[in-house]
Amino acid sequence: MSKKVLIISASPRKGGNSDTLADEFARGAKEAGNIVEKVSLCDKTINFCKGCLACLKCGRCVIQDDAVEIASKMHEADVLVFATPVYYYSVSGQLKTMLDRANPLYDTDYAFTKVYLLAAAAEAEVSAVEGSITAIQGWVDCFSRCKLVDTIFAGGVNSVGEIAGHPALEKAYQTGKSV
Ligand SMILES: Cc1cc2nc3c(=O)[nH]c(=O)nc-3n(C[C@H](O)[C@H](O)[C@H](O)COP(=O)(O)O)c2cc1C
């Protein structure tokens, strides 16, 4: 059955390494007949969560910016894919800010049951992505109906375009196909 797949690309570099992983995942998921949308956070205005917790009382955020629509798309998606560069052994600030702003989804009838993490880092060792996995796993654990299914890590890539030919691209495509 066709699934709604929402890919959130969280690098400030369009066409960068994690964004390329996102495109390969999208290509596979589309070929398999799913409805796929990619949102690039670098095109959006996403302010920091104020911590007011009004969202838990009235179900929506008091800040009117692009995060509201993205959180609504997240609510409707069956599959969430987070593509991020590794920044100081965690996810990018853009992604962390978006996850904070998705707080209105907490305790709602959200659709997503599967989450994937796509990450790129300068260091080749898998240990470079562990902090990013912990960050995403922490968010996923707050949404009891969903789980972090897989992480696709492209290590040893730094400049834009360096990911070309990296085996993680094929893995992203194949995982997208099987989503
Ligand atoms: C602010 C900043 C922090 C970074 N921190 C790390 C890090 O902790 N470990 C690492 O291996 N690479 C680190 N990098 C390198 C990026 O992860 C690497 O360039 C990656 O390929 C960028 O992905 P992108 O093209 O999707 O933006 C950092 C880069 C920047 C700009």
Side-chain angles (χ1 to χ4, degrees):
M1 203 180 77
S2 150
K3 294 189 179 112
K4 269 192 195 169
V5 180
L6 179 68
I7 303 176
I8 297 186
S9 188
S11 171
R13 303 199 298 191
K14 256 200 183 162
N17 298 316
S18 58
D19 197 39
T20 307
L21 282 176
D23 287 342
E24 280 305 286
F25 193 102
R27 190 165 69 87
K30 271 183 205 156
E31 275 183 26
N34 298 294
I35 302 155
V36 182
E37 182 177 4
K38 186 177 97 169
V39 172
S40 295
L41 297 188
C42 63
D43 295 331
K44 307 291 181 188
T45 301
I46 300 169
N47 291 288
F48 292 126
C49 172
K50 290 178 189 288
C52 67
L53 294 177
C55 56
L56 297 187
K57 286 191 199 130
C58 63
R60 59 188 169 79
C61 187
V62 297
I63 308 169
Q64 286 306 305
D65 63 12
D66 294 329
V68 174
E69 192 190 354
I70 297 169
S72 156
K73 287 177 192 287
M74 288 171 73
H75 184 270
E76 300 305 311
D78 301 305
V79 179
L80 296 177
V81 183
F82 300 123
T84 181
V86 171
Y87 276 4
Y88 291 103
Y89 301 101
S90 190
V91 299
S92 69
Q94 290 86 336
L95 181 53
K96 179 64 171 71
T97 302
M98 184 58 231
L99 293 178
D100 293 345
R101 291 291 308 285
N103 202 54
L105 302 183
Y106 185 76
D107 228 2
T108 66
D109 60 346
Y110 58 85
F112 50 90
T113 54
K114 290 175 161 190
V115 173
Y116 293 86
L117 170 63
L118 316 179
E123 289 167 57
E125 295 74 26
V126 174
S127 59
V129 77
E130 279 169 6
S132 305
I133 295 171
T134 302
I136 296 301
Q137 187 68 63
W139 187 83
V140 164
D141 287 347
C142 297
F143 293 88
S144 57
R145 292 196 302 284
C146 85
K147 68 177 213 171
L148 178 59
V149 179
D150 204 358
T151 297
I152 299 171
F153 174 58
V157 295
N158 208 8
S159 309
V160 170
E162 230 179 303
I163 198 167
H166 196 291
L169 289 176
E170 176 65 14
K171 192 179 173 201
Y173 170 67
Q174 293 298 344
T175 307
K177 262 175 113 168
S178 70
V179 84

